[in-house]
Amino acid sequence: MTSASAAIPQPGRTKAFLRLVMIEHSVFALPFAYIASLTAMYEWDRNIHWGRLLLVTVCMVGLRTFAMAVNRIIDREIDARNPRTAHRELVTGAMSVRHAWTGALIALVVFLGAAALLNPLCLALAPVAVIPMVVYPYGKRFTNFPQAILGLAQSMGPIGGWLAISGEWSWTAVILGLAVGIWIGGFDLIYACQDVETDREIGVMSVPARFGIPAAIWGARVCHTITTALFVWYGLATHAGAFFWLGLLIVAGAFLYEHSIVRPHDLSRLNRAFFSVNGFIGIALFVCALLDLLVRGLTV
């Protein structure tokens, strides 16, 4: 009985685990999985299938929780050597590695279970989605471009969201997935700039550490230009209406603002760019895309 109860995270451990995986950051990728799912529903029968949308949510949160937990577990020694990350739960002891693994494995089982309930193709491809989530934390140990692996991992969301509804592969979903992956990889280039000195000192590999902060900032600008172009392509491919294009204008404006407040020699507003602006981008485009689909005939 004692060993069984020990395996179940207690309330304090659960709270620590949710802090560990930064559950609130689901706002970055979840809106785009919804856009893909709802667009697939519109093309299928123009009805919102709430049960499937719930399963998509469970899949996304489960996989992201697993990915973040594994990231923190693998990187705990690097985090301990970086003043910015030395307060993280696995470094301070607020959460043990064993309990972090327990939470990660529970999240993985939830993800696989939800995928199985969706359709056979989702279940078959679920392990493929897991691979880059595990490889990414190791990326900074063998490549100067770990953000490319992160982008690949994040691109799975919209592709999976579409597959969850249609049960068939969609290149239209791949366009949206690439847009999201390149977007997130781009703003992670910006985020990595704050750790340049520490990364160089302890041997962590990244674009800013290898090529410098100006190169990383310009790389992020290129990424977000490509992202905008891919959003345009996606809008054309799905015959989007006025509200989607309005959302895209808002997103383009947000990108311009983000890159106006983060400069190679001024990173003082980096957190605002990373958290506030990028969180806003996902929500704004989702709201506009949803309005567009409803106006075009999607039934609640």
Side-chain angles (χ1 to χ4, degrees), residues 28-272:
F28 292 140
L30 195 54
F32 295 95
Y34 286 154
I35 291 173
S37 297
L38 292 168
T39 305
M41 291 178 190
Y42 173 81
E43 294 193 357
W44 183 21
D45 64 1
R46 301 201 173 191
N47 289 306
I48 295 180
H49 298 266
W50 293 102
R52 293 196 181 201
L53 205 59
L54 175 61
L55 287 173
V56 168
T57 305
V58 173
C59 277
M60 287 291 296
V61 174
L63 182 57
R64 187 203 165 275
T65 300
F66 168 77
M68 281 294 295
V70 170
N71 191 325
R72 293 290 189 257
I73 293 167
I74 293 171
D75 279 353
R76 64 189 185 279
E77 292 182 4
I78 290 177
D79 288 343
R81 300 173 67 186
N82 185 335
R84 183 181 64 81
T85 58
H87 67 282
R88 288 178 175 169
E89 288 72 16
L90 288 176
V91 178
T92 63
M95 162 128 320
S96 69
V97 174
R98 181 167 67 89
H99 284 105
W101 271 119
T102 299
L105 293 176
I106 290 173
L108 180 61
V109 170
V110 168
F111 164 65
L112 294 173
L117 291 173
L118 281 165
N119 57 61
L121 184 58
C122 281
L123 179 59
L125 293 178
V128 177
V130 172
I131 292 171
M133 308 298 177
V134 177
V135 173
Y136 167 64
Y138 292 106
K140 61 180 70 71
R141 294 163 170 82
F142 64 81
T143 176
N144 291 311
F145 304 96
Q147 285 78 20
I149 305 173
L150 175 64
L152 176 63
Q154 296 295 331
S155 69
M156 301 291 179
I159 297 172
W162 195 294
L163 288 174
I165 307 306
S166 69
E168 298 177 352
W169 184 260
S170 168
W171 289 108
T172 302
V174 172
I175 297 171
L176 184 59
L178 286 173
V180 173
I182 294 172
W183 164 55
I184 292 179
F187 75 66
D188 197 62
L189 282 175
I190 298 174
Y191 194 66
C193 289
Q194 63 189 318
D195 293 328
V196 167
E197 296 304 324
T198 302
D199 286 351
R200 288 172 176 167
E201 180 181 338
I202 65 179
V204 170
M205 303 174 74
S206 71
V207 170
R210 172 64 179 83
F211 302 103
I213 292 176
I217 297 296
W218 276 106
R221 292 172 181 171
V222 170
C223 285
H224 292 161
T225 301
I226 294 172
T227 295
T228 304
L230 287 168
F231 281 147
V232 170
W233 189 6
Y234 177 79
L236 294 173
T238 57
H239 308 288
F243 277 109
F244 178 87
W245 297 112
L246 173 63
L248 189 50
L249 284 175
I250 293 172
V251 168
F255 279 147
L256 290 174
Y257 173 71
E258 178 179 13
H259 289 284
S260 72
I261 65 173
V262 178
R263 298 179 179 278
H265 303 292
D266 181 10
L267 301 178
S268 60
R269 291 178 288 182
L270 185 147
N271 281 332
R272 183 194 304 178

Side-chain angles (χ1 to χ4, degrees), residues 4-16 95 99:
S5 62
I8 301 174
Q10 302 302 311
R13 292 169 181 164
T14 300
K15 186 176 180 180
M95 162 128 320
H99 284 105

Side-chain angles (χ1 to χ4, degrees), residues 259-300:
H259 289 284
S260 72
I261 65 173
V262 178
R263 298 179 179 278
H265 303 292
D266 181 10
L267 301 178
S268 60
R269 291 178 288 182
L270 185 147
N271 281 332
R272 183 194 304 178
F274 184 80
F275 296 110
S276 301
V277 177
N278 287 296
F280 169 78
I281 284 172
I283 293 172
L285 191 59
F286 166 68
V287 170
C288 290
L290 175 60
L291 287 173
D292 184 60
L293 290 169
L294 291 173
V295 168
R296 291 162 59 196
L298 182 66
T299 302
V300 177

